[in-house]
């Protein structure tokens, strides 16, 4: 039986997240403020508070008349998400947050503090429709796209936590953002692109992060990759390849049945050229599935002399999975063969594994 007072509001399916300042371009913000009967410059003041100072608390906006603050906050800075819980490890320098959105949907983000940088891994969709069999998020299917502001708020919240010293090591700045949480960012193209603008526009129009510190990871949606290349950004593209041959990739990354290895690699090289940045090829090493020496050689031949860096990710087995990470000797041999082809390669660290916060484990299990 539901207990009165404990009922939480759950929006009807299909309802849109409330409009938020971070959804709007600077021009749209001015328009929205004027529609509320306020002077256009209030939009700039609001942006200074939200993007510049990370303040969403009207009590702190002393340059705005008290009578206007409540109205502006209600209309443009609604609460989009609440923390269900934080889970930490690595002496609290890795922290996963489970968020509940306005309609009860759950998504996760992860903050990782290293000695020389701080990275946040964020979600672009609730769930994912790409159905990769080794990925926890893929198992549950797609619930919905996140709004631009729901994406930006994950970052703003992380920046607030860093600024306030909540994360051990003293106040710090966020340096990197990776779209490697839940969802396929290029399947939510417009909102993700707008989020990148909000994250990277210089303060106070945006959060002032460097485009070069942002990585968009994709299964390989070729038209969207080419479109992203046309935007003229310097964000990094990561391509989740996981197999160098179509036969295996059709299974590991089912969208490969639509866009083949040769096509996704062409789109990746186009992106590298346009953005003037190396593409990162992601390859989860799965024992006896994709870690054979001949596949390393095939991958090496396809990537040699290209603007690329390979990131090998030891598979994080999802619950009930029949697959596990490669044997250490097979991983070493895979690295050696790629290097023999002159392909730069690193093995990704698996931070957050024990809190189910590592790559591909974000499943918002509750
Ligand atoms: N949909 C995007 C971004 C989210 S996943 C994409 O697929 O690129 C981020 C990375 O984690 C991808 O390279 C993905 O293939 C990888 N990944 C997913 N599940 C994993 C797992 N169980 N172990 C290791 N890597 C995994």
């Amino acid at each position: 039986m539901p207990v009165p007072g404990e009922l939480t509001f759950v929006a009807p399916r299909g309802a849109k997240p409330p409009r938020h300042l971070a959804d709007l371009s600077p021009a749209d913000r001015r328009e929205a403020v004027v529609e509320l009967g306020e002077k256009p410059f209030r939009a700039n003041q609001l942006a200074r508070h939200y993007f510049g100072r990370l303040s969403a608390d009207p009590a702190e906006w002393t340059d705005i008349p008290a009578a206007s603050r409540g109205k502006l906050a209600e209309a443009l800075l609604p609460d989009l998400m609440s923390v269900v819980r934080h889970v930490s490890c690595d002496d609290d320098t890795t922290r996963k947050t489970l968020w509940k959105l306005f309609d009860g949907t759950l998504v996760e983000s992860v903050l990782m503090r290293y000695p020389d940088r701080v990275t946040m891994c964020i979600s672009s969709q609730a769930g994912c429709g790409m159905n990769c069999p080794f990925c926890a998020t893929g198992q549950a299917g797609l619930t919905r796209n996140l709004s631009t502001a729901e994406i930006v708020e994950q970052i703003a919240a992380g920046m607030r936590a860093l600024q306030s010293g909540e994360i051990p090591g003293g106040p710090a700045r966020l340096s990197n953002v990776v779209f490697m949480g839940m969802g396929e960012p290029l399947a939510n193209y417009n909102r993700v692109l707008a989020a990148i603008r909000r994250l990277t526009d210089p303060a106070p129009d945006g959060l002032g992060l460097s485009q070069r510190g942002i990585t968009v990871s994709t299964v390989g949606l070729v038209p969207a990759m080419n479109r992203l290349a046309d935007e003229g950004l310097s964000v990094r593209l990561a391509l989740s390849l996981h197999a160098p041959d179509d036969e295996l990739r059709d299974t590991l990354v089912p969208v490969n049945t639509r866009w083949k290895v040769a096509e996704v690699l062409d789109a990746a090289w186009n992106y590298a050229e346009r953005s003037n940045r190396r593409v990162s090829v992601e390859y989860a090493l799965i024992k006896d599935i994709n870690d054979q020496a001949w596949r390393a050689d095939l991958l090496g031949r396809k990537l040699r002399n290209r603007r690329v860096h390979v990131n090998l990710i030891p598979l994080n087995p999802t619950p009930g999975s029949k697959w596990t990470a490669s044997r250490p000797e097979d991983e070493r041999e895979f690295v050696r063969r790629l290097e023999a082809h002159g392909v730069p390669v690193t093995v990704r660290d698996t931070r957050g594994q024990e809190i189910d916060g590592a790559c591909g484990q974000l499943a918002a299990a509750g």
Side-chain angles (χ1 to χ4, degrees), residues 121-122 124-125 128 130 132 134-137 179-185 216-220 238-242 253 282-285 313-318 348 358-361:
C121 177
I122 57 165
S124 56
Q125 299 182 309
C128 185
M130 297 298 127
C132 303
F134 56 89
C135 172
T137 309
F179 283 86
M180 293 190 182
M182 301 169 80
E184 166 50 43
V216 174
S217 182
T218 181
V219 288
L239 171 64
S240 297
L241 196 64
H242 305 310
V253 186
E282 310 292 297
Y283 200 106
L285 279 175
I313 318 168
L315 182 82
N316 289 312
T318 54
R348 167 92 57 87
C359 314
Q361 289 182 328

Side-chain angles (χ1 to χ4, degrees), residues 95 113 158-172:
R95 182 170 89 163
R113 181 165 193 172
M159 289 173 76
R160 282 184 203 115
L162 284 165
Q163 178 177 275
S164 69
E166 218 173 288
I167 309 294

Side-chain angles (χ1 to χ4, degrees), residues 103-125:
D103 55 357
T105 301
L106 300 174
V107 293
E108 296 183 332
S109 60
V110 186
L111 191 154
M112 291 157 281
R113 181 165 193 172
Y114 301 88
D116 58 333
R117 66 184 195 281
V118 186
T119 301
M120 275 196 82
C121 177
I122 57 165
S123 298
S124 56
Q125 299 182 309

Side-chain angles (χ1 to χ4, degrees), residues 198-213:
R198 298 300 107 73
L199 299 180
T200 61
D201 277 351
D205 278 345
L207 291 171
L209 300 174
S210 150
Q211 284 190 8
R212 299 183 67 82

